[in-house]
Amino acid sequence: NDKYYLKSLDHQGINFRANDLRYMRPKSLIHEIENVFDEQTIRVAYMHQERAQDSTSTHDPAEPHMIFSYQDKSILDDAASLVIHHLKRQTNIQKEDKTKIKQLMQFFLPDFFFAPRGELSDDEEREDSSENKENADRLVNMACDLKPRPPEYSTEISTADSNVFFVNNTWYVFFRLHQLLCERLQNIYRQSVVIAETEAARKHHKAKKTTDSVQLHLKTPSDVDAEEYYPTFLDLVRSLMDGQMDVNHFEDTCRDMFGVHAYTSMTMDRLVQNIVRQLVLLVAEEQSIELRSMYATESAIPWSEASDVAYRHRGEQLLGDENCYRVQLFRTDCRLTVQLVESVDSAASDEDAAEYRDWTAYVSKLASADQPMSTAVQESLALKQVLLMRNIRSMRRLLPSSSSPPCSTSDETSAENDAATRAAAAAAAAVLAPS
């Protein structure tokens, strides 16, 4: 009765696991922000059209495409502990890569989030210090006018108001998966606090010691204290990743503790596994390593608008045709923003914008000139409506028959409308004709 009672209440967990596994794939995450980018581009272009602005930009560069909030920085330590716990038990990852991943999770990521650093073992700290010395020497040789410092990690606390990091697809997918992990851990922690406060209030007011479901024998009392729900949940995730617990047992235990709010934890093990997989790519791909070194070099320079633009151009040149993302973390509210930078096919975008301006100017001139057309047609042209390709093709068919009289009508208004239609079709054909 206990198991079926909890499952009957978990209406969101029925299809969550299958849908979430598809959602956390790299292609799905990249496709998500690309859709947001396309929608924002269309919306801003429509706003420019309404305001009649003469601008070549297709979107507002200051408006991010995704905004996330890290309300509790201590969750970063819990997320790092789960990732490193799973990393240590992977036999197919080399020891050198494991050390680099641990340094990234314990040093680089906390520095980026303005959070306290984690701790490494003595061997890992010795390896990190020797590597930092080599990187500092290499940086001095590359730029003598800069202060010598390791490109990957800094021992100084940053005083900037925000950190800006231009990344590729691999880094973006890692940040998104890491954000999902922190968000779900935060929700579980918040729910455990609510349950603990409810239990404490029940004991304080001397209410009944058991709930209605327990009295009806639909649910057995939990053996875990409500104040220990969150640490117990972290131990359950570790046991699941180690293979010491069955998936069904893990789900039933989470439902027993968190009720209908436990559905987000059903794929916690797969989420951690995907993060470890992305971390392996980050320490192995040459492009991702260069982006991290470039970020450390740029963070040593005081921020200015010119330096930010130069940093963006260098990132775009390094990435080439790949997507470029601007990831920014604000110190005050620990808010993470992600913006897909429009760097691919910029020349084609400028050409389309120029073509749109030429067509708008032509329609305005045509609507305001003395043409043999009705007032309704002039008002329609003044709206500067966007013509669909299928309508343009249908109007192009009218061009060869432009010298013939209108079809079986002698009405003067119909003739004027037909002449205006042919004029609009000729204008559309002239604008859209290949050069």
Side-chain angles (χ1 to χ4, degrees):
N1 291 335
D2 188 2
K3 180 175 66 175
Y4 293 112
Y5 168 73
L6 295 173
K7 281 188 175 181
S8 64
L9 298 178
D10 190 14
H11 62 282
Q12 299 186 77
I14 299 176
N15 300 321
F16 176 79
R17 185 177 183 85
N19 296 334
D20 192 55
L21 291 179
R22 289 192 296 268
Y23 175 73
M24 66 177 63
R25 294 174 182 173
K27 290 184 179 180
S28 300
L29 296 175
I30 295 174
H31 185 64
E32 178 188 18
I33 192 172
E34 288 178 348
N35 288 340
V36 176
F37 173 81
D38 294 339
E39 293 175 359
Q40 187 180 102
T41 302
I42 296 174
R43 183 173 64 254
V44 175
Y46 178 77
M47 293 173 58
H48 288 175
Q49 178 183 354
E50 290 292 325
R51 298 173 183 175
Q53 293 181 352
D54 186 11
S55 175
T56 58
S57 61
T58 57
H59 69 285
D60 186 4
E63 183 179 358
H65 299 109
M66 291 185 175
I67 302 176
F68 308 104
S69 178
Y70 292 77
Q71 300 177 359
D72 189 0
K73 291 184 179 181
S74 62
I75 298 296
L76 297 173
D77 297 333
D78 299 332
S81 65
L82 291 178
V83 172
I84 295 176
H85 177 85
H86 181 67
L87 175 67
K88 291 180 179 179
R89 285 149 181 81
Q90 301 304 307
T91 58
N92 58 341
I93 303 178
Q94 297 181 1
K95 182 179 179 181
E96 181 181 358
D97 292 339
K98 288 184 178 180
T99 302
K100 293 180 180 179
I101 292 175
K102 292 176 184 178
Q103 293 170 357
L104 192 148
M105 293 297 300
Q106 300 285 13
F107 288 169
F108 176 80
L109 210 59
D111 291 346
F112 184 78
F113 281 90
F114 301 103
R117 286 186 172 187
E119 296 180 358
L120 296 176
S121 61
D122 297 337
D123 296 337
E124 293 168 346
E125 288 180 354
R126 284 194 295 268
E127 294 177 2
D128 180 56
S129 60
S130 61
E131 183 181 358
N132 286 344
K133 185 177 183 302
E134 296 176 358
N135 291 329
D137 297 337
R138 179 166 58 89
L139 187 60
V140 170
N141 296 330
M142 292 173 56
C144 298
D145 56 335
L146 294 179
K147 180 180 178 181
R149 64 189 296 274
E152 284 83 2
Y153 316 105
S154 172
T155 56
E156 301 178 356
I157 299 177
S158 176
T159 57
D161 295 332
S162 64
N163 286 328
V164 179
F165 191 10
F166 285 92
V167 301
N168 57 356
N169 288 331
T170 307
W171 273 104
Y172 162 72
V173 172
F174 165 73
F175 275 111
R176 284 289 288 114
L177 294 176
H178 182 265
Q179 182 272 329
L180 284 175
L181 178 61
C182 294
E183 181 183 19
R184 294 178 183 181
L185 289 176
Q186 180 68 39
N187 293 336
I188 292 295
Y189 174 75
R190 187 184 301 111
Q191 187 61 27
S192 64
V193 171
V194 172
I195 295 175
E197 292 176 353
T198 303
E199 293 294 333
R202 182 183 291 111
K203 294 179 181 178
H204 178 71
H205 295 290
K206 296 181 180 180
K208 53 185 178 182
K209 298 181 179 180
T210 59
T211 59
D212 295 336
S213 58
V214 175
Q215 291 183 352
L216 295 174
H217 302 285
L218 296 175
K219 177 183 177 182
T220 58
S222 178
D223 298 333
V224 183
D225 191 7
E227 297 179 355
E228 300 295 328
Y229 274 6
Y230 184 70
T232 303
F233 170 76
L234 296 179
D235 294 336
L236 291 175
V237 176
R238 296 187 183 97
S239 300
L240 178 63
M241 292 188 297
D242 294 342
Q244 300 177 0
M245 178 177 292
D246 183 66
V247 176
N248 296 327
H249 185 202
F250 171 78
E251 294 180 358
D252 293 339
T253 307
C254 291
R255 291 192 190 99
D256 184 34
M257 292 190 299
F258 304 105
V260 296
H261 302 279
Y263 71 97
T264 57
S265 64
M266 303 306 178
T267 57
M268 195 70 67
D269 57 328
R270 300 295 296 272
L271 182 56
V272 175
Q273 293 172 7
N274 290 345
I275 292 177
V276 172
R277 192 176 297 113
Q278 285 298 126
L279 286 170
V280 173
L281 295 177
L282 290 179
V283 299
E285 291 181 352
E286 189 67 26
Q287 188 183 78
S288 300
I289 298 175
E290 289 295 331
L291 286 172
R292 190 174 61 182
S293 300
M294 187 184 300
Y295 162 76
T297 304
E298 294 294 333
S299 60
I301 304 174
W303 185 90
S304 64
E305 186 175 355
S307 63
D308 187 79
V309 173
Y311 179 25
R312 167 181 171 174
H313 288 335
R314 281 192 287 270
E316 291 177 352
Q317 292 177 358
L318 177 62
L319 296 179
D321 295 336
E322 189 177 350
N323 290 343
C324 181
Y325 305 88
R326 188 179 192 271
V327 180
Q328 186 172 9
L329 194 283
F330 295 89
R331 174 195 286 268
T332 54
D333 53 357
C334 201
R335 176 167 45 92
L336 182 71
T337 62
V338 182
Q339 177 189 351
L340 176 58
V341 179
E342 185 180 8
S343 58
V344 182
D345 296 336
S346 58
S349 299
D350 295 340
E351 183 179 353
D352 294 340
E355 181 180 323
Y356 173 76
R357 291 197 306 272
D358 294 342
W359 167 250
T360 303
Y362 176 80
V363 171
S364 301
K365 182 179 179 181
L366 183 64
S368 60
D370 264 341
Q371 296 291 339
M373 62 181 69
S374 62
T375 306
V377 176
Q378 292 182 0
E379 292 177 354
S380 177
L381 289 176
L383 294 177
K384 303 178 183 178
Q385 299 176 351
V386 179
L387 301 180
L388 299 178
M389 289 301 299
R390 62 173 181 267
N391 295 339
I392 294 176
R393 286 193 294 267
S394 63
M395 286 189 293
R396 279 175 176 171
R397 300 190 187 99
L398 299 176
L399 292 177
S401 60
S402 59
S403 59
S404 61
C407 299
S408 64
T409 178
S410 58
D411 186 63
E412 183 179 356
T413 303
S414 300
E416 292 179 356
N417 293 341
D418 191 65
T421 303
R422 289 196 298 271
V431 172
L432 298 177
S435 56

